[in-house]
């Protein structure tokens, strides 16, 4: 099977898994509203960075601390309001609205009559209707102004504002009422009386619901700025006639309480540092939003969910194509863009999209995708490990069972693969060496034999034999070395070392005798057990003996012996010879190194002492050389067998 | 003496056949394992020389078949193998071969090993009462070894083992075989015991090249006592 479609399939599957999870995250957050506060946070940031034009056409006549000081304690007599109304009306405003309840009669009937007369005279006064919850029973009540006033007023409008569950005023209902959504906002009534009915009027009627509260046309306010942004003027100054009449001409005038501790104050998105906004200013903001068409509506739940899901899936467009860091950056950027877009939407298109679902989708996309990738990487590692384990049966670190493998951490797996890789590199080096050996050391004697045969077809075998023998010896040495390099201590058996040494000495006996050399055996009578490989140790000893035979002067004795210490067993081969220099010693045990004599010798492959060292190390021991008193002693030490 | 020779390389086979005929053996050459197995099970042969690697049936397969058919009347078998690692040799010995030779074959070694395995069947009795090898004299009747006229002091087991070696010079004796023959009455014998005894014999009887002997250990799985050809 071609591997490419398989991989593509795998990737699609991975994308599918991540997409499902993202849809789940986006939907659950978006529908459950658990993270609504994050939505609020985004919305509030939007309110702050997205200020509307400087407010104009409206002025607040404020019952502030100064007015209280000059006029007296609250509540004031309704005659005072009647006087104010006369002054204001005389200045020619477009409309006057009151944000104070007149739902009960005064103690003095003349006061009420004065105000009714003033309202009726002016003809452009809109009075508030409060829909409130009575303190005890939770019963909702509509509190209109007293009947005379309501009749005299040009309009009645609600002053109620929606508070979100975090207690902050962000939105209003265009219509609200008990039993039927009958009452418009104060702001809407102000506009209507001024002759500028707002465009987005509520169409259709919400179904009546018995005596319950019915709301219709939920809209989000666009605040003009922090508290105090809307121009206001002290009630007392107006009453005393200190404000020029032009100030009010053609404007909408809202009368309300701003003195701390008297009226209603609402926390708003724009009221920083816990500075709440007076209710009258909130009404003024509602008026501004309504007049300028800046009230925004939230997306319906269905559209909200669909959009959240789609936006949450967007990161999957690039994640499969990018490396981790660019992917992370792209996802971060995406989340920022999403957040910014949702803060700007109400200002630009009067639409509110709660972004949390999409935002958390975007935030989760990277970790989820990375998780799948890590899983894929782990699977890949495991597969590699499996393969490597079959190629390299033991590399020391490998766990023996799949159970053990499951317990391994990610880092361990990586370290394990690295170790295996190192071994592969090592094997590759060995392969190169083998090629070099075959192409040079092995081929050259064979080539010379071939050449000789071609030049003199009937040449004597005695002339050919040495070169062919040399090639054969070399090939054998090389194979032995390869076998030694693959020795495994775990597979070694207990063996009797003295007989191995005897056998090696027997083997070299003939060669030594030809040179008039004797082999003295300085060995213990009893058996000496070590854990090892019989063939390798024998070959290793033979190499040391052949080395001694080659380098010792003819007719001199060679000795082989064995010493036992507490923790190691050391066997050695000694011959007479010139002392070796330090540099020579350091090169002796290297691969393809030859002594001066060895270079001239036809049979030396330069592998002899390297083989000795390899075998010693594979047995957990060492090999070395000592020179003293005209003698050279090569030794190999092996760890004692533990019983 | 009739010898069955299994070898797929015709050229190598021709050389070896020539050596054997010159030495007075009658040789039948097979280049297929199946043919060879059929012939040996139907006709009498005195010894077999098998190559390990043969295309159809390997030498070990042929040996396994023959052992099932012939049982006690199985002629001795020598394996010629290009591989001489410990596992390979042990495998050959485990399937029941009597000895093995590493390729390339050498004529004297081949003839010596062949001679040694041919001596096996019932010829032990033909060992003379006393053997003399230069300074070493062995008296089988009195179970005595003497070197340079001095009697060598050996324990009962060492004597058994030494006599068995000298009755089977040139033959490969596996450690299990030695345990069966020498330690037949002792149950649960440790293989190390054999190694220790062999090592003691080497020292006491001076089985070294200087004295004309080689006591070869086959990776510790078996031993072969050989004459050192060009001894002093």
């Amino acid at each position: 099977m071609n591997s490419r479609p398989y991989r593509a399939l795998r990737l699609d599957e991975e994308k599918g898994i991540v997409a499902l999870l993202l849809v789940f995250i986006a939907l659950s957050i978006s529908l459950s509203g658990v993270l609504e506060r994050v939505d609020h946070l985004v919305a509030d940031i939007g309110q702050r960075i997205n200020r509307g034009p400087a407010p104009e056409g409206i002025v607040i006549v404020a019952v502030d601390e100064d007015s209280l000081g000059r006029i007296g304690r609250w509540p004031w007599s309704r005659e005072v309001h009647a006087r104010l109304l006369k002054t204001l009306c005389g200045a020619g405003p477009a409309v006057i609205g009151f944000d104070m309840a007149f739902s009960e009669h005064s103690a003095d009937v003349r006061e009420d009559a004065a105000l009714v007369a003033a309202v009726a005279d002016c003809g452009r006064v809109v009075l508030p209707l409060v829909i409130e919850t009575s303190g005890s029973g939770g019963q909702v009540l509509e509190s209109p102004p007293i009947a005379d006033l309501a009749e005299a007023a040009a309009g009645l409008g609600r002053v109620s504002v929606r508070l979100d569950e975090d207690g902050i005023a962000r939105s209003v209902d265009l219509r609200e009422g008990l039993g039927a959504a009958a009452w418009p906002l104060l702001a809407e009534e102000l506009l209507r009386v001024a002759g500028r009915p707002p465009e987005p009027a509520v169409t259709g009627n919400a179904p009546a619901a018995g005596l319950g509260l019915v709301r219709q046309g939920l809209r989000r306010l666009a605040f003009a700025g922090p508290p105090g942004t809307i121009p206001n003027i002290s009630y007392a100054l107006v009453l005393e006639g200190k404000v020029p009449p032009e100030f009010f001409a053609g404007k909408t005038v809202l009368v309300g309480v701003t003195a701390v501790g008297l009226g209603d104050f609402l926390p708003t998105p724009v009221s920083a540092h816990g500075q709440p906004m007076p209710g009258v200013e909130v009404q003024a903001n509602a008026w501004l939003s309504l007049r300028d068409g800046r009230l925004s509506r939230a997306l319906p739940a269905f559209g909200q969910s669909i959009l959240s899901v789609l936006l949450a899936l967007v990161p999957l467009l690039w994640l499969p194509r990018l490396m981790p860091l660019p992917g992370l950056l792209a996802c971060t950027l995406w989340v920022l863009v999403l957040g910014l877009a949702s803060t700007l939407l109400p200002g630009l298109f009067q639409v509110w999209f709660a972004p949390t679902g999409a935002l958390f989708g975007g935030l989760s996309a990277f970790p989820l995708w990375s998780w799948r990738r890590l899983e894929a990487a782990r699977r890949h590692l495991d597969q590699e490990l499996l393969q490597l384990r079959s190629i390299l049966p033991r590399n020391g670190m490998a766990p023996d069972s799949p159970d053990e493998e499951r317990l391994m951490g990610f880092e361990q797996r990586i370290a394990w693969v690295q170790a295996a890789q190192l071994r592969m590199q090592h094997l590759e080096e060995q392969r190169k060496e083998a090629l070099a050996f075959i192409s040079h050391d092995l081929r050259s004697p064979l080539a010379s034999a071939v050449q000789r045969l071609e030049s003199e077809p009937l040449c004597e075998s005695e002339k050919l034999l040495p070169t062919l023998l040399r090639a054969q010896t070399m090939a054998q040495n090389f194979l032995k070395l390869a076998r030694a390099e693959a020795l495994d201590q775990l597979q070694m058996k207990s063996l009797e070392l003295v007989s191995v040494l005897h056998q090696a000495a027997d083997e070299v006996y003939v060669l030594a005798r030809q040179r008039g050399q004797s082999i003295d055996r300085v060995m213990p009578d009893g058996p000496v057990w070590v854990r090892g490989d019989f063939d390798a140790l024998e070959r290793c000893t033979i190499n040391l003996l052949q080395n001694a035979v080659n380098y010792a002067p003819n007719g001199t004795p060679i000795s082989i012996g064995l010493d036992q210490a507490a923790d190691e067993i050391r066997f050695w081969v000694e011959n007479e010879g010139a002392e070796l220099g330090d540099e020579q010693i350091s090169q002796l045990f290297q691969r393809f190194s030859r002594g001066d004599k060895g270079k001239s010798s036809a049979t030396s492959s330069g592998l002899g002492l390297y083989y000795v060292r390899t075998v010693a190390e594979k047995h957990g021991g060492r090999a070395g050389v000592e020179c003293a008193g005209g003698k050279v002693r090569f030794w190999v030490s092996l760890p004692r067998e533990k019983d | 003496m009739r010898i069955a020779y299994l070898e797929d390389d015709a050229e190598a086979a021709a050389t070896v056949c020539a050596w054997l005929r010159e030495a007075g053996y009658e040789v039948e050459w097979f280049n297929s394992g199946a043919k060879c197995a059929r012939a040996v099970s139907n006709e009498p042969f005195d010894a077999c020389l098998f190559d390990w690697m043969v295309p159809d049936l390997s030498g070990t397969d042929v040996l396994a078949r023959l052992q099932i058919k012939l049982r006690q009347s199985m002629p001795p078998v020598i394996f010629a193998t290009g591989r001489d690692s410990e596992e390979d040799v042990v495998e050959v010995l485990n399937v029941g071969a009597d000895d093995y030779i590493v390729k390339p074959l050498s004529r004297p070694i081949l003839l010596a090993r062949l001679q040694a395995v041919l001596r096996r069947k019932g010829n032990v009795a033909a060992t003379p009462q006393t053997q003399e090898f230069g300074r070493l004299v062995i008296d089988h009747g009195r179970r005595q070894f003497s070197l340079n006229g001095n009697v060598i002091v050996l324990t009962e087991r060492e004597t058994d083992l030494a006599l068995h070696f000298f009755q089977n010079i040139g033959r490969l004796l596996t450690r299990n075989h030695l345990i069966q023959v020498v330690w037949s009455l002792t149950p649960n014998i440790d293989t190390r015991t054999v190694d220790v005894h062999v090592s003691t014999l080497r020292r006491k009887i001076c089985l070294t090249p200087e004295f004309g002997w080689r006591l070869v250990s086959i990776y510790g799985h078996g031993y072969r006592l050989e004459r050192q050809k060009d001894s002093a």
Side-chain angles (χ1 to χ4, degrees):
Chain A
M1 192 174 88
N2 194 344
S3 69
R4 195 164 151 65
Y6 169 75
R7 260 191 208 167
L9 190 74
R10 201 61 188 253
L11 199 63
D12 283 347
E13 200 176 289
E14 296 281 310
K15 273 197 236 173
I17 292 174
V18 176
L20 273 180
L21 286 167
L22 287 179
V23 166
F24 175 74
I25 288 174
L27 268 188
S28 57
I29 288 179
S30 165
L31 290 180
S32 70
V34 280
L35 293 170
E36 215 169 319
R37 294 204 172 207
V38 180
D39 286 331
H40 293 329
L41 185 72
V42 174
D44 295 354
I45 293 172
Q47 285 282 6
R48 281 184 208 152
I49 62 173
N50 193 23
R51 292 196 183 172
E56 44 77 33
I58 189 163
V59 65
I60 294 172
V61 172
V63 178
D64 51 8
E65 281 85 353
D66 187 41
S67 308
L68 288 175
R70 295 200 195 188
I71 298 169
R73 285 182 58 196
W74 190 264
W76 297 334
S77 157
R78 287 187 182 164
E79 276 176 346
V80 178
H81 296 315
R83 267 197 286 142
L84 177 88
L85 205 49
K86 274 181 193 146
T87 317
L88 278 178
C89 219
V95 62
I96 300 166
F98 273 87
D99 180 21
M100 42 184 81
F102 300 110
S103 47
E104 284 155 30
H105 290 279
S106 315
D108 190 342
V109 186
R110 282 170 301 170
E111 290 179 14
D112 285 346
L115 186 58
V116 171
V119 171
D121 283 352
C122 190
R124 283 170 288 167
V125 179
V126 179
L127 292 179
L129 175 128
V130 183
I131 297 180
E132 56 192 358
T133 311
S134 75
S136 51
Q139 189 186 6
V140 184
L141 294 173
E142 285 179 1
S143 311
I146 51 174
D148 297 345
L149 267 179
E151 206 155 304
L156 289 181
R158 274 180 307 116
V159 291
S160 45
V161 171
R162 265 285 181 111
L163 295 185
D164 286 326
E165 85 284 339
D166 56 352
I168 291 180
R170 291 192 185 84
S171 42
V172 290
D173 295 290
L174 290 180
R175 290 283 193 283
E176 191 178 25
L178 282 182
W183 299 105
L185 277 175
L186 182 71
E188 192 180 334
E189 281 299 283
L190 287 172
L191 285 167
R192 187 180 59 77
V193 172
R196 300 164 62 182
E199 281 297 312
V202 176
T203 52
N205 286 321
L211 289 175
L213 193 61
V214 181
R215 288 163 157 174
Q216 206 182 351
L218 182 67
R219 294 290 185 273
R220 301 175 74 92
L221 292 170
F223 286 88
T229 306
I230 295 183
N232 63 76
I233 191 145
S234 174
Y235 191 106
L237 287 180
V238 179
L239 198 63
E240 289 161 18
K242 288 179 182 164
V243 183
E246 310 80 80
F247 186 75
F248 297 109
K251 287 186 182 170
T252 294
V253 180
L254 260 177
V255 184
V257 180
T258 62
V260 176
L262 271 189
D264 55 336
F265 280 80
L266 297 169
T268 61
V270 289
S271 41
H273 307 300
Q275 181 195 11
M277 186 178 272
V280 64
E281 192 167 354
V282 176
Q283 294 305 321
N285 272 300
W287 182 86
L288 277 170
S289 307
L290 196 57
R291 186 196 64 179
D292 300 342
R294 295 179 66 216
L295 284 176
S296 48
R297 48 168 93 210
L299 282 180
F302 180 71
Q304 167 81 35
S305 309
I306 292 291
L307 194 58
S308 295
V309 164
L310 290 180
L311 290 174
L313 290 179
V314 167
L316 281 184
L317 291 180
W318 60 74
L319 276 178
R321 278 165 218 178
L322 294 182
M323 292 306 282
L325 182 61
L328 177 63
L329 293 179
C331 282
T332 314
L333 196 67
W334 168 245
V335 167
L336 289 177
V337 164
L338 256 187
L340 193 68
S342 13
T343 61
L344 294 180
L345 265 184
L348 296 176
F349 302 104
Q350 285 74 52
V351 171
W352 167 243
F353 164 67
T356 316
L359 280 182
F360 273 80
L363 284 174
S364 322
F366 183 74
L368 284 178
W369 182 255
S370 305
W371 162 58
R372 292 316 302 167
R373 292 290 85 205
L374 274 178
E375 281 293 326
R378 184 193 59 75
R379 270 199 305 274
H380 175 72
L381 272 182
D382 285 357
Q383 211 174 351
E384 287 288 297
L385 291 181
L386 206 67
Q387 281 182 359
L388 286 173
R389 191 161 42 190
S390 58
I391 303 169
L392 311 167
R394 287 157 200 272
N395 66 353
M397 297 173 67
D400 296 326
S401 66
D403 284 334
E404 225 173 293
E405 192 178 301
R406 220 165 292 140
L407 293 176
M408 277 173 60
F410 211 75
E411 299 298 322
Q412 257 175 305
R413 286 165 205 254
I414 290 178
W416 190 25
V417 170
Q418 276 173 343
Q421 210 177 12
L422 277 180
R423 258 204 84 177
M424 294 290 264
Q425 274 175 9
H426 182 62
L427 289 178
E428 171 66 16
E429 273 167 34
Q430 285 186 339
R431 191 187 68 86
K432 279 188 189 154
E433 275 179 20
L435 272 182
F437 166 78
I438 291 169
S439 63
H440 178 255
D441 294 29
L442 196 54
R443 206 176 55 175
S444 53
L446 290 176
S448 86
V450 170
Q451 200 183 356
R452 186 167 283 192
L453 270 176
E454 278 174 345
S455 59
E456 34 180 325
L458 291 173
C459 77
E460 293 155 25
S461 63
E462 282 78 36
K463 286 183 184 167
L464 280 178
L465 206 55
T467 34
L468 290 176
L469 273 179
R470 184 174 153 215
Q472 194 204 348
T473 312
M474 282 192 168
Q476 262 170 358
N477 285 347
F478 192 77
L479 286 177
K480 299 256 185 208
L481 181 62
R483 213 175 280 159
E485 277 169 343
L487 279 180
D488 180 5
Q489 244 176 317
L490 295 175
Q491 289 178 337
M492 290 179 180
K493 297 185 192 83
S494 186
L495 57 86
E496 209 274 296
L497 187 59
V498 178
S499 60
V500 175
L501 300 185
H502 275 299
Q503 193 152 325
D506 291 355
E507 184 77 31
V508 186
Y509 170 77
V510 177
L511 186 67
R513 209 168 58 94
Q514 285 167 359
R515 293 171 171 261
Q517 296 155 333
S518 62
I519 299 181
D520 300 337
R521 310 181 186 204
V522 192
M523 279 185 293
D525 286 349
V528 175
W529 299 95
V530 293
R531 205 158 254 291
D533 183 273
F534 192 99
D535 192 32
L537 285 176
E538 185 191 357
R539 176 58 43 189
C540 163
T541 317
I542 291 174
N543 280 2
L544 287 178
L545 284 165
Q546 281 177 341
N547 203 50
V549 169
N550 281 336
Y551 286 89
N554 287 358
T556 56
I558 290 165
S559 32
I560 176 169
L562 184 146
D563 302 326
Q564 304 187 64
D567 55 342
E568 63 168 29
I569 289 161
R570 175 179 290 210
F571 61 89
W572 46 264
V573 171
E574 195 176 77
N575 63 278
E576 288 179 10
E579 282 200 20
L580 298 163
D582 284 345
E583 197 189 335
Q584 243 178 322
I585 288 176
S586 68
Q587 284 182 352
L588 271 177
F589 289 93
Q590 301 300 317
R591 219 176 161 133
F592 300 123
S593 83
R594 285 171 214 191
D596 295 335
K597 240 180 183 173
K599 279 180 189 135
S600 56
S601 155
T603 49
S604 168
S605 59
L607 291 175
L609 287 174
Y610 180 71
Y611 179 87
V612 171
R613 193 184 95 184
T614 305
V615 170
E617 284 170 1
K618 288 290 175 184
H619 281 76
R622 292 172 300 135
V625 61
E626 292 162 359
C627 308
K631 299 218 170 194
V632 180
R633 173 185 279 204
F634 284 91
W635 54 263
V636 170
S637 70
L638 302 176
R640 238 180 208 290
E641 188 183 18
K642 293 176 194 82
D643 286 310
Chain B
M1 287 289 181
R2 228 174 142 220
I3 294 171
Y5 179 33
L6 173 62
E7 165 67 80
D8 58 315
D9 179 354
E11 218 170 295
T15 314
V16 173
C17 285
W19 290 348
L20 293 175
R21 293 208 176 95
E22 275 172 36
Y25 294 105
E26 191 181 327
V27 188
E28 193 140 342
W29 169 54
F30 304 94
N31 60 2
S32 122
K35 271 191 234 161
C36 177
R38 214 174 308 125
V40 175
S41 52
N42 294 330
E43 304 162 32
F45 281 93
D46 295 294
C48 302
L49 177 60
F50 287 169
D51 187 46
W52 192 340
M53 296 299 178
V54 185
D56 59 338
L57 274 179
S58 77
T60 48
D61 291 337
V62 175
L63 177 51
R65 281 196 183 188
L66 289 177
Q67 275 174 332
I68 294 171
K69 282 199 173 171
L70 300 177
R71 299 184 189 214
Q72 295 302 320
S73 53
M74 178 78 202
V77 177
I78 296 177
F79 263 89
T81 164
R83 316 190 296 193
D84 68 333
S85 73
E86 182 170 346
E87 303 91 79
D88 299 332
V89 170
V90 171
E91 192 188 331
V92 168
L93 295 184
N94 279 346
V95 295
D98 292 82
D99 211 329
Y100 74 97
I101 311 175
V102 179
K103 283 183 172 181
L105 298 184
S106 113
R107 181 177 170 159
I109 292 181
L110 172 64
L111 293 180
R113 298 279 161 83
L114 208 49
Q115 216 175 348
V117 297
L118 282 170
R119 263 208 322 267
R120 188 185 70 171
K121 280 191 297 180
N123 290 350
V124 177
T127 311
Q129 273 292 312
T130 51
Q131 283 175 301
E132 269 193 57
F133 302 99
R135 291 169 285 178
L136 179 69
V137 178
I138 301 153
D139 187 336
H140 285 271
R142 295 162 67 190
R143 297 164 56 82
Q144 243 179 27
F145 292 76
S146 52
L147 192 60
N148 291 332
N150 301 320
V151 173
I152 303 169
V153 181
L154 296 174
T155 66
E156 198 67 8
R157 285 280 164 274
E158 285 163 5
T159 309
D160 287 346
L161 189 61
L163 288 175
H164 195 68
F165 270 127
F166 280 99
Q167 282 160 3
N168 293 285
I169 295 171
R171 273 188 61 202
L172 195 165
L173 304 172
T174 65
R175 199 152 55 171
N176 287 338
H177 168 84
L178 290 175
I179 288 175
Q180 278 172 17
V181 172
V182 180
W183 282 271
S184 52
L185 301 176
T186 321
N188 302 326
I189 189 79
D190 185 358
T191 50
R192 279 186 171 196
T193 313
V194 184
D195 298 332
V196 173
H197 278 75
V198 170
S199 154
T200 311
L201 283 189
R202 188 202 302 274
R203 182 164 45 83
K204 285 190 177 169
I205 312 182
C206 296
L207 298 174
T208 62
E210 287 86 342
F211 291 83
W213 297 102
R214 282 188 69 179
L215 186 49
V216 182
S217 166
I218 313 298
Y219 307 114
H221 292 273
Y223 294 92
R224 194 195 289 121
L225 181 63
E226 293 173 357
R227 288 290 277 159
Q228 178 74 35
K229 285 281 145 17
D230 45 2
S231 57

